[in-house]
Coordinates of all heavy atoms in Angstrom, one line a residue:
M1467 N 56.7 -2.2 -9.3 CA 55.9 -1.3 -8.5 C 54.4 -1.5 -8.9 O 53.5 -1.6 -8.0 CB 56.3 0.1 -8.7 CG 55.7 1.1 -7.8 SD 56.2 0.9 -6.1 CE 55.3 2.1 -5.3
K1468 N 54.1 -1.5 -10.2 CA 52.7 -1.7 -10.6 C 52.2 -3.1 -10.1 O 51.0 -3.2 -9.7 CB 52.6 -1.6 -12.1 CG 52.5 -0.3 -12.7 CD 52.2 -0.4 -14.2 CE 51.9 0.9 -14.8 NZ 51.6 0.9 -16.2
K1469 N 53.0 -4.1 -10.2 CA 52.6 -5.4 -9.8 C 52.2 -5.4 -8.3 O 51.2 -6.1 -7.9 CB 53.7 -6.4 -10.1 CG 53.9 -6.7 -11.5 CD 55.0 -7.7 -11.7 CE 55.3 -7.9 -13.2 NZ 56.4 -8.9 -13.4
Y1470 N 53.0 -4.8 -7.5 CA 52.7 -4.7 -6.1 C 51.4 -4.0 -5.8 O 50.6 -4.3 -4.9 CB 53.8 -4.1 -5.3 CG 55.1 -4.9 -5.3 CD1 56.3 -4.4 -5.8 CD2 55.1 -6.2 -4.8 CE1 57.4 -5.2 -5.8 CE2 56.2 -7.0 -4.8 CZ 57.4 -6.5 -5.3 OH 58.5 -7.2 -5.3
L1471 N 51.2 -2.9 -6.5 CA 50.0 -2.1 -6.3 C 48.7 -2.9 -6.7 O 47.7 -2.9 -6.0 CB 50.1 -0.8 -7.1 CG 48.9 0.2 -7.0 CD1 48.7 0.7 -5.6 CD2 49.0 1.4 -7.9
I1472 N 48.8 -3.5 -7.9 CA 47.7 -4.3 -8.4 C 47.4 -5.5 -7.4 O 46.2 -5.7 -7.1 CB 47.9 -4.8 -9.8 CG1 47.9 -3.6 -10.7 CG2 46.9 -5.8 -10.2 CD1 48.4 -3.9 -12.2
S1473 N 48.5 -6.2 -7.0 CA 48.2 -7.3 -6.1 C 47.7 -6.8 -4.7 O 46.9 -7.5 -4.1 CB 49.5 -8.1 -5.9 OG 50.5 -7.3 -5.3
A1474 N 48.2 -5.7 -4.2 CA 47.7 -5.1 -3.0 C 46.2 -4.8 -3.1 O 45.4 -5.1 -2.2 CB 48.5 -3.9 -2.5
L1475 N 45.8 -4.1 -4.2 CA 44.4 -3.8 -4.4 C 43.5 -5.1 -4.5 O 42.4 -5.1 -4.0 CB 44.2 -2.9 -5.6 CG 44.7 -1.5 -5.5 CD1 44.6 -0.8 -6.8 CD2 43.9 -0.8 -4.4
L1476 N 44.0 -6.1 -5.2 CA 43.3 -7.3 -5.3 C 43.1 -8.0 -4.0 O 42.0 -8.5 -3.7 CB 44.1 -8.2 -6.3 CG 43.4 -9.5 -6.7 CD1 42.1 -9.3 -7.4 CD2 44.3 -10.4 -7.5
I1477 N 44.1 -8.0 -3.2 CA 44.0 -8.7 -1.8 C 43.1 -7.9 -1.0 O 42.2 -8.5 -0.3 CB 45.4 -8.7 -1.2 CG1 46.3 -9.8 -1.9 CG2 45.3 -9.1 0.3 CD1 47.7 -9.8 -1.5
V1478 N 43.1 -6.6 -1.0 CA 42.2 -5.8 -0.2 C 40.8 -6.0 -0.7 O 39.8 -6.1 0.1 CB 42.6 -4.3 -0.2 CG1 41.5 -3.4 0.4 CG2 43.9 -4.0 0.5
G1479 N 40.6 -6.0 -1.9 CA 39.2 -6.2 -2.5 C 38.7 -7.6 -2.1 O 37.5 -7.7 -1.7
L1480 N 39.5 -8.6 -2.2 CA 39.0 -10.0 -1.9 C 38.8 -10.1 -0.4 O 37.8 -10.8 0.0 CB 40.1 -11.0 -2.3 CG 40.2 -11.2 -3.8 CD1 41.3 -12.2 -4.1 CD2 38.9 -11.7 -4.4
S1481 N 39.6 -9.5 0.4 CA 39.3 -9.6 1.9 C 38.1 -8.8 2.3 O 37.3 -9.3 3.2 CB 40.5 -9.0 2.6 OG 40.7 -7.6 2.4
T1482 N 37.8 -7.7 1.7 CA 36.5 -7.0 2.0 C 35.3 -7.8 1.6 O 34.3 -7.8 2.3 CB 36.5 -5.6 1.4 OG1 36.7 -5.7 0.0 CG2 37.5 -4.7 2.0
T1483 N 35.4 -8.4 0.4 CA 34.2 -9.2 0.0 C 34.0 -10.5 0.9 O 32.9 -10.8 1.2 CB 34.3 -9.7 -1.5 OG1 35.6 -10.4 -1.7 CG2 34.3 -8.5 -2.4
A1484 N 35.2 -11.0 1.3 CA 35.1 -12.2 2.2 C 34.5 -11.8 3.6 O 33.7 -12.5 4.2 CB 36.4 -12.8 2.4
L1485 N 34.9 -10.6 4.0 CA 34.4 -10.1 5.3 C 32.9 -9.8 5.2 O 32.1 -10.0 6.1 CB 35.2 -8.8 5.7 CG 34.8 -8.2 7.1 CD1 35.1 -9.2 8.2 CD2 35.5 -6.9 7.2
A1486 N 32.5 -9.2 4.0 CA 31.1 -8.9 3.8 C 30.2 -10.1 3.7 O 29.1 -10.1 4.1 CB 30.9 -8.0 2.6
Q1487 N 30.8 -11.2 3.2 CA 30.0 -12.5 3.1 C 29.9 -13.1 4.5 O 28.8 -13.7 4.8 CB 30.7 -13.4 2.2 CG 30.6 -13.1 0.8 CD 31.3 -14.0 -0.2 OE1 32.0 -14.9 0.3 NE2 31.2 -13.7 -1.5
R1488 N 30.8 -12.9 5.4 CA 30.7 -13.5 6.7 C 29.8 -12.7 7.6 O 29.0 -13.2 8.4 CB 32.1 -13.5 7.4 CG 32.9 -14.7 7.1 CD 34.1 -14.8 7.9 NE 35.1 -13.8 7.5 CZ 36.1 -13.4 8.3 NH1 36.2 -13.8 9.5 NH2 36.9 -12.5 7.9
H1489 N 29.8 -11.4 7.4 CA 28.9 -10.5 8.2 C 28.0 -9.7 7.2 O 28.4 -8.5 7.0 CB 29.7 -9.6 9.0 CG 30.7 -10.3 10.0 ND1 30.2 -10.9 11.1 CD2 32.0 -10.5 9.9 CE1 31.2 -11.5 11.7 NE2 32.3 -11.2 11.0
P1490 N 26.9 -10.2 6.8 CA 26.1 -9.4 5.8 C 25.5 -8.3 6.6 O 25.2 -8.4 7.8 CB 25.0 -10.4 5.4 CG 25.0 -11.5 6.4 CD 26.4 -11.5 7.0
P1491 N 25.2 -7.2 5.9 CA 24.6 -6.0 6.6 C 23.2 -6.4 7.0 O 22.5 -7.1 6.4 CB 24.6 -4.9 5.5 CG 24.6 -5.7 4.2 CD 25.4 -6.9 4.5
R1492 N 22.8 -5.9 8.2 CA 21.5 -6.1 8.7 C 20.5 -5.3 8.0 O 20.7 -4.0 7.9 CB 21.5 -5.8 10.2 CG 22.4 -6.7 11.0 CD 22.2 -6.4 12.5 NE 21.9 -7.6 13.2 CZ 21.3 -7.7 14.3 NH1 21.1 -6.6 15.0 NH2 21.1 -8.8 14.9
P1493 N 19.4 -5.8 7.6 CA 18.4 -5.0 6.9 C 17.7 -4.1 8.0 O 17.6 -4.5 9.2 CB 17.4 -6.0 6.4 CG 17.6 -7.2 7.2 CD 19.0 -7.2 7.6
A1494 N 17.4 -2.9 7.5 CA 16.7 -2.0 8.4 C 15.3 -2.5 8.8 O 14.6 -3.2 8.0 CB 16.6 -0.6 7.8
A1495 N 15.0 -2.3 10.1 CA 13.7 -2.8 10.5 C 12.6 -2.1 9.8 O 12.6 -0.8 9.7 CB 13.6 -2.6 12.0
P1496 N 11.6 -2.8 9.3 CA 10.5 -2.1 8.6 C 9.7 -1.2 9.6 O 9.5 -1.5 10.8 CB 9.6 -3.2 8.1 CG 9.9 -4.4 9.0 CD 11.3 -4.2 9.4
V1497 N 9.3 0.0 9.1 CA 8.6 0.9 9.9 C 7.2 0.6 9.9 O 6.5 0.6 8.8 CB 8.9 2.4 9.4 CG1 8.1 3.4 10.2 CG2 10.3 2.7 9.4
H1498 N 6.6 0.3 11.0 CA 5.2 -0.1 11.1 C 4.4 1.2 11.5 O 4.8 1.9 12.4 CB 5.0 -1.2 12.2 CG 5.6 -2.5 11.8 ND1 5.2 -3.2 10.7 CD2 6.7 -3.1 12.3 CE1 6.0 -4.3 10.7 NE2 6.9 -4.3 11.6
P1499 N 3.3 1.4 10.8 CA 2.5 2.6 11.1 C 1.8 2.3 12.4 O 1.5 1.2 12.8 CB 1.5 2.7 9.9 CG 1.4 1.3 9.4 CD 2.8 0.7 9.6
S1500 N 1.5 3.4 13.1 CA 0.7 3.3 14.3 C -0.7 2.9 14.0 O -1.1 2.9 12.8 CB 0.7 4.6 15.1 OG 0.0 5.6 14.3
K1501 N -1.5 2.6 15.0 CA -2.9 2.1 14.7 C -3.7 3.2 14.1 O -4.5 3.0 13.2 CB -3.5 1.6 16.1 CG -4.8 0.9 15.9 CD -5.2 0.3 17.2 CE -6.5 -0.5 17.0 NZ -7.0 -1.2 18.2
T1502 N -3.5 4.5 14.6 CA -4.3 5.6 14.0 C -3.9 5.8 12.6 O -4.8 6.1 11.7 CB -4.2 6.8 14.9 OG1 -2.8 7.2 14.9 CG2 -4.7 6.7 16.2
Q1503 N -2.6 5.8 12.3 CA -2.2 5.9 10.9 C -2.8 4.9 10.0 O -3.2 5.1 8.9 CB -0.7 6.0 10.8 CG 0.0 7.2 11.4 CD 1.5 7.0 11.4 OE1 2.0 5.9 11.4 NE2 2.2 8.2 11.4
F1504 N -2.8 3.6 10.5 CA -3.3 2.5 9.7 C -4.8 2.7 9.5 O -5.3 2.5 8.3 CB -3.0 1.2 10.5 CG -3.5 0.0 9.8 CD1 -2.7 -0.5 8.7 CD2 -4.6 -0.8 10.2 CE1 -3.1 -1.6 8.0 CE2 -4.9 -1.9 9.5 CZ -4.2 -2.3 8.4
T1505 N -5.6 3.0 10.5 CA -7.0 3.2 10.3 C -7.3 4.4 9.4 O -8.2 4.3 8.6 CB -7.7 3.3 11.6 OG1 -7.1 4.4 12.4 CG2 -7.7 2.1 12.4
N1506 N -6.5 5.4 9.5 CA -6.7 6.6 8.6 C -6.4 6.3 7.2 O -7.1 6.7 6.3 CB -5.8 7.8 9.1 CG -6.3 8.4 10.4 OD1 -7.4 8.2 10.8 ND2 -5.4 9.1 11.0
S1507 N -5.4 5.5 7.0 CA -5.1 5.1 5.6 C -6.2 4.2 5.0 O -6.6 4.3 3.9 CB -3.7 4.4 5.5 OG -3.7 3.1 6.1
K1508 N -6.7 3.3 5.9 CA -7.8 2.4 5.4 C -9.0 3.2 5.1 O -9.8 2.9 4.2 CB -8.1 1.3 6.5 CG -7.0 0.2 6.6 CD -6.9 -0.5 5.3 CE -5.9 -1.6 5.3 NZ -5.7 -2.3 4.1
A1509 N -9.3 4.2 6.0 CA -10.5 5.0 5.7 C -10.3 5.8 4.4 O -11.3 6.0 3.7 CB -10.7 6.0 6.9
S1510 N -9.2 6.3 4.2 CA -9.0 7.1 2.9 C -9.1 6.1 1.7 O -9.7 6.5 0.7 CB -7.6 7.8 2.9 OG -6.6 6.9 2.9
E1511 N -8.6 4.9 1.8 CA -8.8 3.9 0.7 C -10.2 3.6 0.5 O -10.7 3.5 -0.6 CB -8.0 2.7 1.0 CG -6.5 2.7 0.9 CD -5.8 1.5 1.4 OE1 -6.5 0.4 1.4 OE2 -4.6 1.5 1.7
L1512 N -11.0 3.5 1.6 CA -12.4 3.2 1.5 C -13.1 4.4 0.9 O -14.0 4.1 0.0 CB -13.0 2.9 2.9 CG -14.5 2.6 3.0 CD1 -14.8 1.3 2.3 CD2 -14.9 2.6 4.5
N1513 N -12.8 5.6 1.2 CA -13.5 6.8 0.6 C -13.1 6.8 -0.9 O -14.0 7.1 -1.7 CB -13.0 8.0 1.3 CG -13.6 8.2 2.7 OD1 -14.6 7.6 3.0 ND2 -12.9 8.9 3.6
K1514 N -11.9 6.6 -1.2 CA -11.5 6.6 -2.6 C -12.2 5.6 -3.4 O -12.7 5.9 -4.5 CB -10.0 6.4 -2.7 CG -9.4 6.7 -4.1 CD -7.9 6.3 -4.2 CE -7.1 7.1 -3.2 NZ -5.7 6.8 -3.3
R1515 N -12.3 4.4 -2.9 CA -13.0 3.3 -3.6 C -14.5 3.6 -3.7 O -15.1 3.4 -4.8 CB -12.8 2.0 -2.8 CG -13.2 0.8 -3.6 CD -12.8 -0.5 -3.0 NE -13.4 -0.7 -1.7 CZ -12.8 -0.9 -0.5 NH1 -11.5 -0.9 -0.5 NH2 -13.4 -1.1 0.6
Y1516 N -15.1 4.2 -2.7 CA -16.5 4.6 -2.7 C -16.8 5.6 -3.8 O -17.7 5.5 -4.6 CB -17.0 5.1 -1.4 CG -18.3 5.8 -1.4 CD1 -19.5 5.0 -1.4 CD2 -18.5 7.1 -1.3 CE1 -20.7 5.6 -1.4 CE2 -19.7 7.7 -1.4 CZ -20.9 6.9 -1.4 OH -22.1 7.5 -1.4
R1517 N -15.9 6.7 -3.8 CA -16.1 7.7 -4.9 C -15.9 7.2 -6.3 O -16.7 7.5 -7.2 CB -15.1 8.8 -4.6 CG -15.5 9.7 -3.4 CD -14.6 11.0 -3.4 NE -13.2 10.7 -3.4 CZ -12.4 10.6 -2.3 NH1 -12.9 10.7 -1.1 NH2 -11.1 10.3 -2.5
N1518 N -15.0 6.3 -6.4 CA -14.7 5.7 -7.8 C -15.9 4.8 -8.2 O -16.4 4.9 -9.3 CB -13.5 4.8 -7.7 CG -13.1 4.4 -9.1 OD1 -13.4 5.0 -10.1 ND2 -12.3 3.3 -9.2
E1519 N -16.5 4.0 -7.3 CA -17.6 3.2 -7.7 C -18.8 4.0 -7.9 O -19.6 3.7 -8.9 CB -17.9 2.1 -6.6 CG -16.8 1.0 -6.5 CD -17.2 0.0 -5.5 OE1 -18.4 -0.3 -5.3 OE2 -16.3 -0.6 -4.8
K1520 N -19.0 5.0 -7.2 CA -20.2 5.9 -7.4 C -20.1 6.6 -8.7 O -21.1 6.7 -9.5 CB -20.3 6.9 -6.3 CG -21.5 7.8 -6.3 CD -21.6 8.7 -5.1 CE -22.9 9.5 -5.2 NZ -23.1 10.4 -4.0
R1521 N -18.9 7.1 -9.1 CA -18.7 7.7 -10.4 C -19.0 6.7 -11.5 O -19.6 7.1 -12.5 CB -17.2 8.2 -10.5 CG -16.9 9.0 -11.7 CD -15.5 9.4 -11.8 NE -14.5 8.4 -11.6 CZ -14.2 7.5 -12.5 NH1 -14.7 7.5 -13.7 NH2 -13.3 6.5 -12.2
L1522 N -18.5 5.5 -11.3 CA -18.8 4.5 -12.4 C -20.2 4.2 -12.5 O -20.7 4.0 -13.7 CB -18.0 3.2 -12.1 CG -16.5 3.2 -12.2 CD1 -15.9 2.0 -11.7 CD2 -16.1 3.5 -13.7
I1523 N -21.0 4.1 -11.4 CA -22.4 3.9 -11.5 C -23.1 5.0 -12.2 O -24.0 4.8 -13.1 CB -23.0 3.6 -10.1 CG1 -22.5 2.3 -9.5 CG2 -24.5 3.6 -10.1 CD1 -22.8 2.1 -8.1
M1524 N -22.8 6.2 -11.8 CA -23.5 7.4 -12.3 C -23.2 7.6 -13.8 O -24.0 8.2 -14.5 CB -23.1 8.7 -11.5 CG -23.6 8.6 -10.1 SD -25.4 8.2 -9.9 CE -26.1 9.7 -10.5
S1525 N -22.0 7.2 -14.2 CA -21.6 7.5 -15.6 C -21.9 6.3 -16.5 O -21.5 6.3 -17.7 CB -20.2 7.9 -15.7 OG -19.4 6.8 -15.4
H1526 N -22.6 5.3 -16.0 CA -22.9 4.1 -16.8 C -23.9 4.5 -18.0 O -24.9 5.1 -17.7 CB -23.5 3.0 -16.0 CG -23.5 1.7 -16.7 ND1 -24.5 1.3 -17.6 CD2 -22.7 0.6 -16.6 CE1 -24.2 0.1 -18.0 NE2 -23.1 -0.4 -17.4
P1527 N -23.6 4.2 -19.2 CA -24.4 4.6 -20.3 C -25.7 3.9 -20.5 O -26.6 4.5 -21.1 CB -23.5 4.4 -21.6 CG -22.6 3.3 -21.1 CD -22.4 3.4 -19.7
V1528 N -25.8 2.7 -20.0 CA -27.0 1.9 -20.3 C -28.0 1.8 -19.2 O -29.2 1.7 -19.4 CB -26.6 0.4 -20.7 CG1 -27.8 -0.4 -21.0 CG2 -25.6 0.4 -21.9
A1529 N -27.5 2.0 -17.9 CA -28.4 1.9 -16.8 C -29.4 3.0 -16.7 O -29.2 4.1 -17.0 CB -27.5 1.9 -15.5
T1530 N -30.6 2.6 -16.3 CA -31.7 3.6 -16.1 C -31.6 4.3 -14.8 O -30.8 3.9 -14.0 CB -33.1 2.9 -16.2 OG1 -33.2 2.0 -15.1 CG2 -33.3 2.1 -17.5
K1531 N -32.4 5.3 -14.6 CA -32.3 6.1 -13.4 C -32.7 5.2 -12.2 O -32.1 5.3 -11.1 CB -33.3 7.3 -13.4 CG -32.8 8.4 -14.3 CD -33.7 9.6 -14.2 CE -33.2 10.7 -15.1 NZ -34.1 11.9 -15.1
K1532 N -33.7 4.3 -12.4 CA -34.1 3.4 -11.3 C -33.0 2.5 -10.9 O -32.7 2.2 -9.7 CB -35.3 2.7 -11.7 CG -35.9 1.9 -10.6 CD -37.2 1.2 -11.0 CE -37.8 0.4 -9.9 NZ -39.1 -0.3 -10.3
M1533 N -32.3 1.9 -11.9 CA -31.2 1.0 -11.7 C -30.1 1.7 -11.0 O -29.5 1.2 -10.0 CB -30.7 0.4 -13.0 CG -31.6 -0.6 -13.6 SD -31.2 -1.0 -15.3 CE -29.6 -1.8 -15.1
K1534 N -29.8 2.9 -11.4 CA -28.7 3.7 -10.8 C -29.0 4.0 -9.3 O -28.2 3.9 -8.4 CB -28.4 5.0 -11.5 CG -27.7 4.8 -12.9 CD -27.5 6.1 -13.6 CE -26.9 5.9 -14.9 NZ -26.7 7.2 -15.6
A1535 N -30.3 4.3 -9.1 CA -30.7 4.6 -7.7 C -30.6 3.4 -6.8 O -30.1 3.5 -5.7 CB -32.1 5.2 -7.7
E1536 N -31.0 2.3 -7.3 CA -30.8 1.0 -6.5 C -29.4 0.7 -6.2 O -29.0 0.3 -5.1 CB -31.5 -0.1 -7.2 CG -33.0 0.0 -7.3 CD -33.7 -1.1 -8.2 OE1 -32.9 -1.9 -8.8 OE2 -34.9 -1.1 -8.2
Q1537 N -28.5 0.8 -7.2 CA -27.1 0.5 -7.1 C -26.5 1.5 -6.1 O -25.6 1.1 -5.3 CB -26.4 0.6 -8.4 CG -26.7 -0.6 -9.3 CD -26.1 -0.5 -10.7 OE1 -25.6 0.6 -11.1 NE2 -26.0 -1.6 -11.4
I1538 N -26.8 2.8 -6.2 CA -26.3 3.8 -5.2 C -26.8 3.5 -3.8 O -26.0 3.6 -2.9 CB -26.7 5.2 -5.7 CG1 -26.0 5.6 -7.0 CG2 -26.4 6.2 -4.6 CD1 -24.5 5.8 -6.9
K1539 N -28.0 3.1 -3.7 CA -28.5 2.7 -2.4 C -27.8 1.5 -1.8 O -27.4 1.6 -0.6 CB -30.0 2.4 -2.5 CG -30.7 2.3 -1.2 CD -32.2 2.1 -1.4 CE -33.0 2.0 -0.1 NZ -34.4 1.8 -0.3
A1540 N -27.5 0.5 -2.6 CA -26.8 -0.7 -2.1 C -25.3 -0.3 -1.8 O -24.7 -0.7 -0.8 CB -26.8 -1.8 -3.2
L1541 N -24.7 0.6 -2.6 CA -23.4 1.1 -2.4 C -23.3 1.9 -1.1 O -22.4 1.7 -0.3 CB -22.9 1.9 -3.5 CG -21.5 2.5 -3.4 CD1 -20.5 1.4 -3.5 CD2 -21.3 3.5 -4.5
N1542 N -24.3 2.7 -0.8 CA -24.3 3.5 0.4 C -24.4 2.6 1.7 O -23.7 2.8 2.7 CB -25.4 4.5 0.4 CG -25.1 5.7 -0.5 OD1 -24.0 6.0 -0.9 ND2 -26.2 6.3 -1.0
L1543 N -25.2 1.6 1.5 CA -25.4 0.6 2.6 C -24.1 -0.1 2.9 O -23.7 -0.2 4.1 CB -26.6 -0.3 2.3 CG -26.9 -1.3 3.4 CD1 -27.4 -0.6 4.7 CD2 -27.9 -2.3 2.9
R1544 N -23.5 -0.6 1.9 CA -22.2 -1.3 2.1 C -21.1 -0.4 2.6 O -20.4 -0.8 3.5 CB -21.8 -1.9 0.7 CG -20.6 -2.9 0.9 CD -20.2 -3.5 -0.4 NE -19.3 -2.6 -1.1 CZ -19.4 -2.3 -2.4 NH1 -20.3 -2.9 -3.2 NH2 -18.6 -1.5 -3.0
Y1545 N -21.1 0.9 2.2 CA -20.1 1.9 2.6 C -20.3 2.1 4.1 O -19.4 2.2 4.9 CB -20.3 3.1 1.8 CG -19.4 4.3 2.2 CD1 -18.0 4.2 2.1 CD2 -19.9 5.4 2.8 CE1 -17.2 5.3 2.4 CE2 -19.1 6.5 3.2 CZ -17.8 6.4 3.0 OH -17.0 7.4 3.4
Q1546 N -21.6 2.3 4.5 CA -21.9 2.6 5.9 C -21.5 1.4 6.8 O -20.9 1.6 7.9 CB -23.4 2.8 6.1 CG -23.8 4.2 5.6 CD -25.3 4.3 5.6 OE1 -26.1 3.4 6.0 NE2 -25.8 5.5 5.3
N1547 N -21.7 0.2 6.4 CA -21.3 -1.0 7.1 C -19.8 -1.1 7.3 O -19.3 -1.4 8.3 CB -21.9 -2.3 6.5 CG -23.4 -2.4 6.6 OD1 -23.9 -1.8 7.5 ND2 -24.0 -3.2 5.7
E1548 N -19.1 -0.8 6.2 CA -17.6 -0.9 6.2 C -17.1 0.2 7.1 O -16.1 0.0 7.9 CB -17.0 -0.8 4.8 CG -17.3 -2.0 4.0 CD -16.7 -1.9 2.6 OE1 -16.0 -0.9 2.3 OE2 -16.9 -2.9 1.9
K1549 N -17.7 1.4 7.1 CA -17.3 2.5 8.0 C -17.5 2.1 9.5 O -16.7 2.4 10.3 CB -18.1 3.8 7.7 CG -17.6 4.6 6.6 CD -16.3 5.3 7.1 CE -16.1 6.5 6.3 NZ -14.8 7.1 6.6
K1550 N -18.6 1.4 9.8 CA -18.9 1.0 11.1 C -17.8 0.0 11.6 O -17.4 0.0 12.7 CB -20.3 0.4 11.2 CG -21.4 1.3 11.2 CD -22.8 0.6 11.3 CE -23.9 1.6 11.1 NZ -25.2 0.8 11.1
L1551 N -17.5 -0.9 10.7 CA -16.4 -1.9 11.1 C -15.1 -1.2 11.3 O -14.4 -1.6 12.2 CB -16.3 -2.9 9.9 CG -17.4 -4.0 9.8 CD1 -17.2 -4.8 8.6 CD2 -17.4 -4.9 11.0
L1552 N -14.8 -0.2 10.5 CA -13.5 0.5 10.7 C -13.5 1.3 12.0 O -12.5 1.3 12.7 CB -13.3 1.4 9.5 CG -12.0 2.0 9.3 CD1 -10.9 0.9 9.1 CD2 -11.9 2.9 8.1
K1553 N -14.6 1.9 12.3 CA -14.7 2.6 13.6 C -14.6 1.7 14.8 O -14.1 2.0 15.8 CB -16.0 3.4 13.7 CG -15.9 4.7 12.8 CD -17.2 5.5 13.0 CE -17.1 6.8 12.1 NZ -18.3 7.6 12.2
A1554 N -15.2 0.5 14.6 CA -15.2 -0.5 15.7 C -13.8 -1.0 16.0 O -13.4 -1.4 17.1 CB -16.1 -1.7 15.4
A1555 N -13.0 -1.1 14.9 CA -11.6 -1.5 15.0 C -10.7 -0.5 15.7 O -9.7 -0.9 16.3 CB -11.0 -1.8 13.6
R1556 N -11.1 0.7 15.8 CA -10.3 1.8 16.4 C -10.4 1.5 17.9 O -9.6 1.6 18.7 CB -10.9 3.2 16.1 CG -10.5 3.6 14.7 CD -11.0 5.0 14.5 NE -10.8 5.3 13.1 CZ -11.1 6.5 12.5 NH1 -11.6 7.4 13.2 NH2 -10.8 6.7 11.3

């Protein structure tokens, strides 16, 4: 009786693996964000990067006030240009 049970389980197991190899499961289609979701996520990444760079500039131990002001001015200019590009893409 045990031999029949073990052999039956073995046959069922082998047949299911053979069937699975012939018909692999289809992967789920990737979920693509909508255009507004995409632009919103890019805008939040841009804001996060801007805040981080500004914090790094302001907390720099060696830079003078004039150097910091120039770097912040350049950062603001670059940020505005990237924001314009992002709005134009919408």
Side-chain angles (χ1 to χ4, degrees):
M1467 185 69 181
K1468 273 187 175 179
K1469 290 180 183 178
Y1470 293 120
L1471 181 63
I1472 292 173
S1473 61
L1475 288 176
L1476 185 64
I1477 290 172
V1478 169
L1480 290 175
S1481 65
T1482 55
T1483 56
L1485 182 66
Q1487 286 177 357
R1488 275 192 287 160
H1489 303 287
R1492 297 181 124 198
V1497 178
H1498 296 291
S1500 68
K1501 191 171 183 179
T1502 56
Q1503 289 173 335
F1504 183 72
T1505 54
N1506 289 341
S1507 68
K1508 288 294 180 183
S1510 67
E1511 288 176 20
L1512 179 63
N1513 290 334
K1514 190 184 302 183
R1515 194 170 62 237
Y1516 170 76
R1517 286 191 306 267
N1518 189 27
E1519 288 184 35
K1520 186 174 180 180
R1521 183 182 53 80
L1522 290 174
I1523 290 170
M1524 296 307 290
S1525 66
H1526 195 278
V1528 181
T1530 63
K1531 286 184 180 181
K1532 186 176 180 181
M1533 290 169 60
K1534 287 180 183 180
E1536 290 173 359
Q1537 288 177 343
I1538 291 293
K1539 191 174 182 179
L1541 179 67
N1542 287 338
L1543 183 63
R1544 192 177 82 221
Y1545 176 70
Q1546 288 172 357
N1547 289 336
E1548 289 180 5
K1549 274 290 207 185
K1550 285 179 187 175
L1551 287 173
L1552 195 60
K1553 284 184 181 179
R1556 287 183 185 181

